Amino acid sequence: MRTRSPWPYLLIAPTVAGGAFLLLYPLLKAAVISFQHFRMGELIRGGAAFIGLENYAELLSGEEFWQVLARTLAWTAINVVLIVVLATGIALMLPRLRRGLRLALMSALALAWATPIIAATTIFQWLFQSELGVVNWLLVTLGFDSFRGYTWFADGTATFAVLVVLVVWQSVPFAALTLYAGLTTIPVELFESARIDGGTGWQVFWKVTFPMLRQLFALVASLEVIWVAKCFPQIWVLSQGGPDDATTTLPVYAFKVARVLHRYDLGSAVAMLTVVLLAVALVANLRRMVRS
């Protein structure tokens, strides 16, 4: 009987061990802190006391956590739906473009995707600046005089909308290019047969394209849920969760609790609840994807 050589496993062992340490240690540390009384004093002198589920009980019994949770769910749902819809439209459009236009659009998508998060967020701050911003200038030029000097970041709904545009702009390229790659694997004969049978563009999508790429759509949606739900740099740089907590999602809430109140135990509990909620949603979706 032929034995397997241990060398491949030994060669990848350092990378696997390093990755596991970088991923698992912070998660386990946060989990431990969430069951302790861990504040500024414990951070300096150590000796945090174990208090069980008191931090979780405090969170779940408070109204603020449920408001942030509802806002996070709405934030995630709005962004993921817009990302998947727009990415699907772009992916379906790419094969119909001429080679030059297709290359130009794919290059633009890649550049948008490669733009650093903080740089993109800063650009959006300039675009929506009240006096010198391009957006207000363009809207006034088009005849919307009510936007002259409009302060986007003083209104919760407007700030939320700007952040949605920013996150969608950053996320669509990955989803669109991934779906386009999936489209190239579908035999052209299937589309031609569907059109010969009299199928409209909408019917071809639902009867041919979507069933063939169902698992890819599920995977893209799952990855976007993770990306959107854990968004922190964009929100913090643009609004720091304001105004009036209108853009405070669970990651921002966890950071604010730990940073402002020095409640590292409560902040860790928020982070762990976020991980649990994401894990439950994604495991259910991935199981359904595998079964299909």
Side-chain angles (χ1 to χ4, degrees):
M1 182 176 178
R2 185 178 179 182
T3 58
R4 294 183 177 179
S5 173
W7 281 109
Y9 303 100
L10 292 176
L11 290 173
I12 66 172
T15 302
V16 174
F21 176 78
L22 292 174
L23 291 174
L24 294 179
Y25 176 75
L27 183 64
L28 294 176
K29 185 64 174 178
V32 171
I33 293 175
S34 69
F35 293 106
Q36 295 176 330
H37 182 279
F38 200 105
R39 304 185 185 181
M40 182 61 75
E42 286 74 20
L43 180 65
I44 297 174
R45 65 175 182 268
F50 179 78
I51 59 174
L53 298 174
E54 289 185 18
N55 290 318
Y56 293 95
E58 181 179 347
L59 275 178
L60 297 177
S61 62
E63 183 180 354
E64 185 176 13
F65 172 78
W66 295 106
Q67 292 175 346
V68 174
L69 176 60
R71 187 180 302 114
T72 304
L73 294 176
W75 160 263
T76 304
I78 292 170
N79 278 283
V80 171
V81 169
L82 288 174
I83 291 167
V84 173
V85 170
L86 291 174
T88 301
I90 293 173
L92 293 173
M93 179 180 65
L94 281 171
R96 292 167 170 80
L97 296 177
R98 293 182 178 180
R99 184 176 180 180
L101 287 176
R102 182 165 63 248
L103 180 60
L105 179 55
M106 293 178 67
S107 300
L109 291 171
L111 288 173
W113 187 22
T115 304
I117 293 176
I118 302 302
T121 305
T122 304
I123 291 171
F124 268 72
Q125 283 181 314
W126 294 341
L127 289 175
F128 288 90
Q129 205 270 340
S130 58
E131 296 296 333
L132 302 175
V134 174
V135 173
N136 281 358
W137 169 81
L138 181 60
L139 289 173
V140 171
T141 302
L142 293 175
F144 299 96
D145 291 332
S146 59
F147 285 95
R148 189 182 303 276
Y150 181 73
T151 307
W152 290 86
F153 304 117
D155 179 74
T157 303
T159 306
F160 191 95
V162 172
L163 282 166
V164 167
V165 174
L166 170 60
V167 172
V168 169
W169 178 79
Q170 290 178 316
S171 305
V172 162
F174 166 77
L177 293 174
T178 302
L179 293 175
Y180 171 68
L183 279 173
T184 60
T185 65
I186 301 177
V188 180
E189 293 79 7
L190 293 178
F191 297 116
E192 293 176 351
S193 176
R195 294 190 183 96
I196 291 174
D197 291 339
T200 62
W202 185 253
Q203 290 172 332
V204 171
F205 174 77
W206 278 112
K207 299 297 183 180
V208 178
T209 306
F210 185 76
M212 294 289 292
L213 299 180
R214 184 186 303 273
Q215 293 185 341
L216 185 60
F217 272 102
L219 180 60
V220 168
S222 298
L223 293 176
E224 294 302 338
V225 167
I226 296 174
W227 161 256
V228 172
K230 71 181 185 67
C231 273
F232 174 80
Q234 298 93 325
I235 299 175
W236 188 255
V237 172
L238 203 66
S239 66
Q240 296 189 355
D244 298 326
D245 293 330
T247 57
T248 297
T249 58
L250 283 174
V252 178
Y253 180 58
F255 182 76
K256 290 171 72 173
V257 168
R259 181 176 182 267
V260 178
L261 303 178
H262 301 293
R263 292 290 308 273
Y264 308 108
D265 46 6
L266 202 63
S268 296
V270 176
M272 294 311 301
L273 287 174
T274 305
V275 171
V276 170
L277 290 172
L278 281 175
V280 170
L282 293 174
V283 167
N285 186 40
L286 292 175
R287 285 183 63 186
R288 186 166 52 250
M289 180 182 71
V290 171
R291 288 177 180 176
S292 63

